[in-house]
Structures are given as C-alpha cells and as structure tokens.
Amino acid sequence: MDFNKDTAKKTAELLLQIKAIKLSPQEPFTWASGWKSPIYCDNRITLSFPSVRNFIKEKIAKIVEEKHGKPDAIAGVATGAIAIGILVAQELGVPFVYVRPEPKKHGRQNQIEGHLESGQNVVVIEDLISTGKSSLEAVKALKAANATVKGMVAIFSYGFEIASKNFADHNVELTTLSNYEFLLEQALDSKYITSEELRTLEDWRLAPSEWRQNEKPIKK
C-alpha cells in the first residue's frame, strides 16, 4: 500500500495528541477478542476536535477522488465510521449511506440505511482496520444490493497480515491515512515512547494473538 509519509505521520501525531490512540506497552489493554495489546484505538474521539476531524475529512476525501474518482455515494461502516463518512460525503457533495453489521430485526429489516440505487459506484469509509472481517462484511452487503464497490478508505490500520490477505481475497483496494509502522515512528520521534518500549510494541505487532504482558483493563 502506498502512503503519503507526511500525511501518515501527521495523522499518527494527531491521534496520539488527542489520545484517540493510547500506547501502554508496560500495562497492556485487553481487547474484546481477549488479545492482550499495548495499543488501544478509538477514532471516534477525533469527532470532538474540529481541527482534527477536518484534517481527516479533507485527506480522506482527497484520497477517494484521486484513487477512485468522484463516487455516486459514500458508505460508512456502522457505527464507528458513520460520522466521518458523513463528513467525507459532505466534502465531496455526494449522498451517504451506512451499513449495519446485520439487518435490523424489525421494521424494514434494512442492513443498508439510506437511499442507494442499483449499479451505483460506492467508496466505503472505515475508522479502523484490524483483521478487516467486519469491514468486508459491509462490502458484501453493498455488493448484494448491486452496488459497485470501488474501494475502501480508513483512518488507521494495525497492518496485520491477515487483514492484507482478507482484502486481497475479496479483491477490495484498501487505503489508510496511517498505520502501525508510521505510528511507532512518530511516537519515537516525539518521545512518546522509548527505544525499549518500541521493541515491545514491534514484538506485539509480529504475533498479536500470542503476545502476553500484564493486563490493563480498558476503561469505558
């Protein structure tokens, strides 16, 4: 995947500054999956900082147009990417829809909310990519509705090999503003982490499901 290094490092810098990403190699978090992790990412926090959300909106909109042209619609993946998806759609002046993890159990039983016509070109917006499974479920739903998915753009990716494989297997082009490698580079440059902590963080990245440290519960 090609990155604009300046954008990638600036995105990482902003996410660290507003604590949308927290690095805690000595007292790791526990993900919902049960994985112990020295990183926790909640990109919804960006919405509370106008300058940050505007930066992200403008950069994603630029990537969408440069890589895929102006789409007929933007689709956000619920729930984390609904708000940033709306901002990107507004920036591009195109309609917006969002995709639920599964159809509603009542009413019209929609999985895709909003007006989407058969055959329309859609770019999917996501906030965070881990394995890519839930993101690709949204793509599957859009294709089932006869949309043409041109690609996906996300704020941040952990850069797991399984994610790269999943996107390749589904023939979906993924672009992110930043990723784990640029995050570590920026964190070290800004002295957010030490060289010793960098090694710990790099070790986790190589085998996240097997990595263990003292657990630090995630505070909701």
Side-chain angles (χ1 to χ4, degrees), residues 110 121 214:
N110 290 340
N121 293 324
N214 295 324

Side-chain angles (χ1 to χ4, degrees), residues 103-128:
K104 287 170 63 176
K105 303 297 184 184
H106 57 278
R108 295 189 297 166
Q109 300 182 335
N110 290 340
Q111 185 169 4
I112 300 171
E113 298 289 1
H115 179 72
L116 183 66
E117 295 182 9
S118 178
Q120 285 191 311
N121 293 324
V122 177
V123 175
V124 183
I125 305 300
E126 184 61 287
D127 66 326
L128 175 65

Side-chain angles (χ1 to χ4, degrees), residues 144-178:
N146 295 317
T148 300
V149 177
K150 305 296 289 184
M152 183 180 298
V153 184
I155 298 172
F156 185 80
S157 169
Y158 293 115
F160 297 144
E161 287 186 14
I162 185 62
S164 298
K165 182 179 185 302
N166 286 338
F167 277 91
D169 288 348
H170 287 80
N171 195 30
V172 176
E173 182 178 358
L174 172 66
T175 309
T176 65
L177 294 186
S178 192

Side-chain angles (χ1 to χ4, degrees), residues 50-63:
S51 63
V52 177
R53 72 176 185 236
N54 284 336
F55 173 86
I56 290 171
K57 171 196 70 175
E58 290 166 6
K59 293 300 182 183
I60 290 180
K62 183 179 180 181
I63 288 171

Side-chain angles (χ1 to χ4, degrees), residues 44 74-86 96-102 111-113 122-129 132-142 149 151-154 167 172 174:
R44 290 168 294 191
I74 289 292
V77 180
T79 59
I82 292 177
I84 189 63
I86 291 171
F96 174 78
V97 301
Y98 72 86
V99 188
R100 298 176 180 274
E102 59 184 22
Q111 185 169 4
I112 300 171
E113 298 289 1
V122 177
V123 175
V124 183
I125 305 300
E126 184 61 287
D127 66 326
L128 175 65
I129 304 294
K133 182 178 178 181
S134 59
S135 306
L136 290 166
E137 285 295 319
V139 171
K140 182 179 177 181
L142 289 163
V149 177
M152 183 180 298
V153 184
F167 277 91
V172 176
L174 172 66

